[in-house]
Amino acid sequence: MGKQTLHLPLFETKEAKGKTIYKLFASTIFVGILLIWLYRLINMPSKGESGRLAWICMFLAEICFGFYWIITQSVRWNVIYTYPYKNRLSLRYEENLPDVDIFVCTADPIMEPPTMVINTILSVMPYNYPTQKLSIYLSDDGGSQYTFYALLEASQFSKYWIPFCKRFNVEPRSPAAYFQHDASNLNDKVFAQEWFNIKKLYEDMKSRIEASIENGSIPNEIKAQHKGFSEWNTKVTKQDHHSIVQILIDGRDHNMVDMDGNRLPTLVYMSREKKPNLPHNFKAGSMNSLIRVSSQISNAPIILNLDCDMYSNDPDAIRESLCFFMDENQGHKVAYVQYPQRYNNATKNDIYGNIARVTHEIELAGLGGYGAALYCGTGCLHRRESLCGRKFSEDQTFEWNNKLQEKSTYKTVEELEEASKVVANCSYEEGTQWGKQMGLLYGFPVEDIITGLTIQCRGWKSIYYKPSKPAFLGVAPTILDVALVQHKRWSEGMLQIFISKYCPFIYGHGKIKLGAQMGYCIYLLWAPLSVPTLTYVLVTSLSLLHGIPLFPEVNQLT
Ligand SMILES: O=c1ccn([C@@H]2O[C@H](COP(=O)(O)OP(=O)(O)O[C@H]3O[C@H](CO)[C@@H](O)[C@H](O)[C@H]3O)[C@@H](O)[C@H]2O)c(=O)[nH]1
Ligand SMILES: [Mn+2]
């Protein structure tokens, strides 16, 4: 192996097949569009003739459709798929794998039940990765003691869950998802025994958490188990509370081990300070607090972010992503690796279009082809440096070894918690570049898309990676009003980017490729496309009622 493996890349890119045929097909459509425009112009009723207004409206709508179609071609001509080689990574870097911080965000204990949140946490704790290199942070914008309690329970349960997952190599590693189905190999006596034990432990834990929520209080004997509960002695509400940071598992501690005697990952609960009169900037605010708090504790160079309703479905996901960051030739340019949003509750007919096949298999891969994969929030791994506002430069060297962590080994848990609380305070961001040049951008409902764009405009590349086995699985809206609210927020938020100073054609000019600028606009112009669509629908039906001909008749063509 030796030399030869050293020269093999850690990941490869391949063009989608059938590019030439697609280009031929697309050019026929383009000719078709031109002919439609021409037909409209030539046959336009002249001034005073009936139906002129309808024809003008049709023409304008068709112009919009045509241009939008042209924009969509940018990504379709450049579809590129990426393939990481995790075995090569292990061969070359097993001893030098970087630390990884995992951020999970939750905002409301009712909409996002604590048991769901800890299932996400428990799915990332048993990653096939050196546990002492993992630190997991839960940001609770709900400031709920039930979420804190659930996380405390999870920290205990993980001592059984992690060894169980690793010993029997079970998947998926979210207990709820795993126990949803009966185990297949219960004939194996040892396994069956363990399976029943763990399942019982999980269900007991779940009932304790749910019972406490139902009763509206946490039993005193449980409260006595951890100093953290004292944070809720004063009045704590979702909108108004002080910073809370509790390190539930200190991964540096060699005595913190699971039932098999193996080290545990660091586990931290945090709830940043909130004041009713100050903007909290939603998920972006939470992420920026997470970036700062984690910099005090573990400061890993790689950050994985997950929404609390999205669990890890592949224990090798971190290793696969690292192939992109650590590749000797191209890795240094990579700011983030985005996975598609896939769901474990997709319905057969997918009536709200959550699966979005064309988006996930073609368009996003096309943007990835320009090195400009969109940052879509959950299921994304970032290089901490690029997220913190640093510009890319070809000649900067990158250290995967973590100096700060070595330093922080001298600090006690209490010292780390105190230092972290300071950076999670509202006042910390005043007069700083946080939310502007550093971290996630504030002021946009889709903080992820805009943040991704600014990172790319600072010279970094991003990767879109859609493995055949989903790496993360989330919960898609299954009721109409939730789906509508989500789509409204996304489409409005994206239009807001287009009309701001961050419009990709202006802000991205000369910084990202024209194809990438166009690719962004497929989404940013999604909302206004409804105007020509509505026009088209209305004008055609009204014209039909009024007997105004808009299209050539079949016998005209012959
Ligand atoms: O004040 C807030 C509001 C939300 N969140 C968390 O942010 C995540 C996303 O919020 P959600 O309301 O679930 O929005 P979705 O539309 O489902 O999320 C998608 O769209 C968002 C905006 O583009 C991205 O940030 C998400 O990652 C992406 O999954 C969730 O984990 C929330 O708990 C917070 O931490 N604090
Ligand atoms: Mn969500």
Side-chain angles (χ1 to χ4, degrees), residues 197 243 320:
N197 288 347
S243 296
E320 293 211 324

Side-chain angles (χ1 to χ4, degrees), residues 536-547:
Y536 203 88
V537 171
L538 284 176
V539 171
T540 43
S541 24
L542 286 177
S543 300
L544 187 68
L545 290 177
H546 289 86

Side-chain angles (χ1 to χ4, degrees), residues 178-193:
Y178 177 68
F179 289 122
Q180 214 172 32
H181 307 286
D182 283 339
S184 53
N185 49 341
L186 286 180
N187 302 335
D188 175 347
K189 278 252 165 59
V190 185
F191 175 74
Q193 187 61 43

Side-chain angles (χ1 to χ4, degrees), residues 169-214:
N169 205 12
V170 306
E171 283 181 40
R173 295 190 174 179
S174 142
Y178 177 68
F179 289 122
Q180 214 172 32
H181 307 286
D182 283 339
S184 53
N185 49 341
L186 286 180
N187 302 335
D188 175 347
K189 278 252 165 59
V190 185
F191 175 74
Q193 187 61 43
E194 279 284 287
W195 190 87
F196 282 111
N197 288 347
I198 304 281
K199 187 166 194 247
K200 177 149 190 339
L201 280 175
Y202 172 69
E203 270 159 13
D204 290 350
M205 167 177 79
K206 193 174 155 200
S207 339
R208 281 196 300 277
I209 296 169
E210 283 170 0
S212 74
I213 296 172
E214 214 158 277

Side-chain angles (χ1 to χ4, degrees), residues 112 307 309 475 486:
E112 301 166 336
D307 287 355
D309 58 3
V475 182
Q486 193 183 53

